[in-house]
Amino acid sequence: MEIQALLITFREVLEALLIVGIITTYLKRMDNGQYTKYVWLGAGLAVLASVGVAMLFQVVLTGFASMGSEMYLKIGIMIISTLLLTQMVFWMAKHSRDLKGNMQGKMDSFISTGNIVGMVIHSFLVVLREGVETVFFFAAITGGNIGAAMQGWGAITGVIIAAVVAYLFFKGTMKVRLSTFFKVTGVFIILIAAGLLVQAISMMQDLEIIGSVIPHLYDITWFLPEHPIDYDHYLRDHGVAPLLSGDIGIFLKALFGYSSMPSLEEVVAYIGYFVGIYLLTSNKSVKKTESAGQTERMEK
């Protein structure tokens, strides 16, 4: 959970800091530094609102738990989180190249019209989106215990690393392109999304919401059990210990959705998810190439 929280928090906080940093840096360079306080005001209000959303979400989760419907809500959160994480990666991959230009254009519009309120609302919404997504993802990776994720070392470390990276980026000591940077972190986010999808399918099969053609496609508990309890049971039943510790298995399950005895549907969904991502990225690459070719022919 902590590694997941670190990656998610790092990604979300960094995205928010980069956008706010781009806006404030541009304002200062254009001799409009007096407006930066309104940007930070909107960002600060968004952080407070995100905490409020987390508290409200926790109340909702507790209410579902008291009604005995907690597992159904968790499944829904995992599926929606998979979609949001995937969309987040594609959105940033698409907009990272023109992110700076878009932010500067909006600031010019606000300044020219004297729209201070619009400036505050814009920065508020930018940061709030990241905050709400973080809350939602925390609910997914912790099974509903949002507070545990927010107070854990993973989330705190993610915030610190994001702040350091953002500082180095704007100081000019970090020469990595935004598009490349987000592609690398996007790989890990996609792995987490695939793991959440598989865990949601596993929970639905446990609750008999959906069936399974082959409940256990293979069994590699002898090699890497997915939990220390599975390790103990295998040792008890076979008299031989698995090759690897169950602690490794529980780490991989929390991070990537690992299962030592997956159903056919889990395996198909896991592989199918990556195939879908590959096809989507391939189609976009082809469209970009075709668009570039058309532009080149028109120029000739």
Side-chain angles (χ1 to χ4, degrees):
M1 179 195 79
E2 297 297 348
I3 299 296
Q4 287 176 303
L6 188 154
L7 288 171
I8 289 172
T9 307
F10 168 69
R11 174 68 182 241
E12 297 287 347
V13 172
L14 180 62
E15 194 170 320
L17 287 176
L18 287 177
I19 294 175
V20 172
I22 287 171
I23 293 172
T24 55
T25 300
Y26 177 70
L27 290 174
K28 290 176 182 177
R29 287 179 179 176
M30 298 302 293
D31 294 327
N32 289 308
Q34 69 272 21
Y35 293 108
T36 58
K37 59 186 177 183
Y38 299 112
V39 176
W40 286 113
L41 173 62
L45 291 174
V47 172
L48 294 176
S50 297
V51 173
V53 170
M55 295 173 64
L56 178 61
F57 214 114
Q58 190 65 71
V59 171
V60 172
L61 288 168
T62 303
F64 270 83
S66 65
M67 294 186 294
S69 304
E70 183 182 13
M71 295 299 291
Y72 297 99
L73 181 60
K74 288 180 181 179
I75 291 170
I77 290 174
M78 285 183 174
I79 293 174
I80 295 174
S81 294
T82 299
L83 297 174
L84 286 176
L85 283 168
T86 306
Q87 183 272 339
M88 178 181 73
V89 171
F90 280 103
W91 186 90
M92 185 48 68
K94 179 180 179 181
H95 292 86
S96 58
R97 295 181 180 180
D98 57 352
L99 182 64
K100 185 175 181 179
N102 287 339
M103 293 300 107
Q104 292 176 352
K106 289 180 179 179
M107 288 303 107
D108 286 339
S109 175
F110 290 140
I111 292 172
S112 63
T113 58
N115 190 359
I116 302 299
V117 175
M119 191 177 295
V120 174
I121 292 175
H122 178 261
S123 59
F124 174 83
L125 293 177
V126 165
V127 177
L128 181 64
R129 186 191 69 183
E130 311 302 334
V132 172
E133 286 180 351
T134 301
V135 171
F136 209 86
F137 300 149
F138 278 1
I141 65 176
T142 62
N145 194 351
I146 300 172
M150 293 177 67
Q151 298 170 12
W153 65 262
I156 296 172
T157 305
V159 172
I160 294 173
I161 295 175
V164 171
V165 170
Y167 175 80
L168 294 176
F169 181 83
F170 287 106
K171 282 295 181 181
T173 55
M174 189 173 176
K175 303 298 182 181
V176 180
R177 293 177 57 187
L178 279 180
S179 57
T180 302
F181 186 82
F182 281 112
K183 281 181 182 178
V184 173
T185 57
V187 171
F188 292 99
I189 295 297
I190 287 215
L191 287 171
I192 292 175
L196 288 174
L197 176 62
V198 170
Q199 289 183 60
I201 291 174
S202 177
M203 290 173 67
M204 285 191 286
Q205 290 178 332
D206 290 340
L207 293 173
E208 298 183 350
I209 297 174
I210 60 175
S212 176
V213 178
I214 305 177
H216 302 301
L217 186 61
Y218 56 81
D219 185 354
I220 55 172
T221 305
W222 59 271
F223 174 68
L224 177 59
E226 64 183 72
H227 196 279
I229 294 177
D230 298 320
Y231 180 97
D232 295 336
H233 287 175
Y234 188 90
L235 178 61
R236 179 197 64 194
D237 297 338
H238 297 82
V240 180
L243 293 179
L244 298 177
S245 168
D247 292 324
I248 299 176
I250 198 171
F251 170 79
L252 294 177
K253 182 178 181 65
L255 190 58
F256 303 128
Y258 168 76
S259 175
S260 59
M261 295 187 295
S263 66
L264 173 63
E265 292 75 19
E266 289 177 71
V267 173
V268 170
Y270 198 76
I271 296 175
Y273 177 81
F274 291 113
V275 170
I277 294 295
Y278 173 77
L279 292 176
L280 285 172
T281 53
S282 297
N283 289 336
K284 288 186 177 182
S285 298
V286 170
K287 288 181 179 179
K288 285 183 179 179
T289 303
E290 291 177 349
S291 177
Q294 291 175 357
T295 303
E296 185 177 348
R297 286 193 295 270
M298 290 176 65
E299 290 176 350
K300 289 181 179 180

